[in-house]
Amino acid sequence: MMAVSRSMTTQTSDEEGSAKIYIEPVPASRPRVPRFGRPFYVGRYKEFRQELELAVADVPPWLPDGPVHVQVMFICKKPKKPTNPYPKGDIDNYIKAIWDGLNGKWGFKDDRQIVSVEAEKRYAKIEEEPHILILVWRKHDHKEGSG
């Protein structure tokens, strides 16, 4: 169970926004798909989605128009005996978890607006709480249809 308190602090201007989300990062998991009914999530990712929804509800929305660049850092809880020098889970699944939770609420109206991404995951340092840092800024030099 995630013990980190849920909160989110933000700073925004017309051109950029930053957020620090005090929730332990969790990579997105695949939804369970029942034979009849809607897909659903279980376990740590379900808890993460609920915590993120509550944290985002406490801040004013910031939804820029047009293409945006996103930089995100996942500071994860270090296990007592880590088996890797870096957190488990694919970084694209950590990113997907954030896109799902912020889509239309903060940073972008739709994740289709995100035209470039920088992402990093690491363990929390001593005395550092697990959290997520997000920087979003408008990408004025992006050309429609390029790339």
Side-chain angles (χ1 to χ4, degrees):
M1 181 138 192
M2 289 177 270
V4 178
S5 65
R6 69 173 174 263
S7 69
M8 179 172 169
T9 58
T10 62
Q11 290 183 325
T12 60
S13 70
D14 286 344
E15 294 298 312
E16 63 185 45
S18 65
K20 188 170 187 178
I21 307 170
Y22 297 91
I23 299 174
E24 185 178 331
V26 173
S29 63
R30 295 194 184 276
R32 302 267 173 99
V33 182
R35 191 170 184 159
F36 300 102
R38 300 181 64 151
F40 62 96
Y41 295 95
V42 297
R44 290 179 58 217
Y45 183 57
K46 178 182 177 182
E47 292 174 20
F48 173 83
R49 287 172 56 105
Q50 292 167 343
E51 293 286 317
L52 183 57
E53 186 174 323
L54 291 170
V56 172
D58 291 340
V59 298
W62 180 71
L63 301 166
D65 291 319
V68 296
H69 172 81
V70 178
Q71 186 175 13
V72 61
M73 180 177 282
F74 302 96
I75 292 78
C76 303
K77 182 178 179 181
K78 189 171 187 174
K80 289 180 183 171
K81 294 183 180 181
T83 57
N84 293 320
Y86 44 83
K88 288 184 179 181
D90 296 345
I91 196 155
D92 58 320
N93 290 330
Y94 281 93
I95 293 168
K96 172 114 175 74
I98 288 297
W99 288 186
D100 290 348
L102 296 181
N103 204 14
K105 298 175 184 127
W106 191 91
F108 41 88
K109 293 177 184 176
D110 190 293
D111 56 4
R112 291 180 290 171
Q113 287 176 258
I114 301 168
V115 297
S116 58
V117 177
E118 291 177 65
E120 181 180 339
K121 65 178 180 173
R122 67 169 173 80
Y123 287 126
K125 297 174 184 168
I126 296 171
E127 302 296 321
E128 184 179 32
E129 292 291 327
H131 61 279
I132 303 163
L133 292 173
I134 303 167
L135 302 171
V136 179
W137 58 90
R138 295 175 193 261
K139 189 123 168 122
H140 294 290
D141 62 344
H142 183 74
K143 303 289 187 240
E144 188 76 25
S146 67

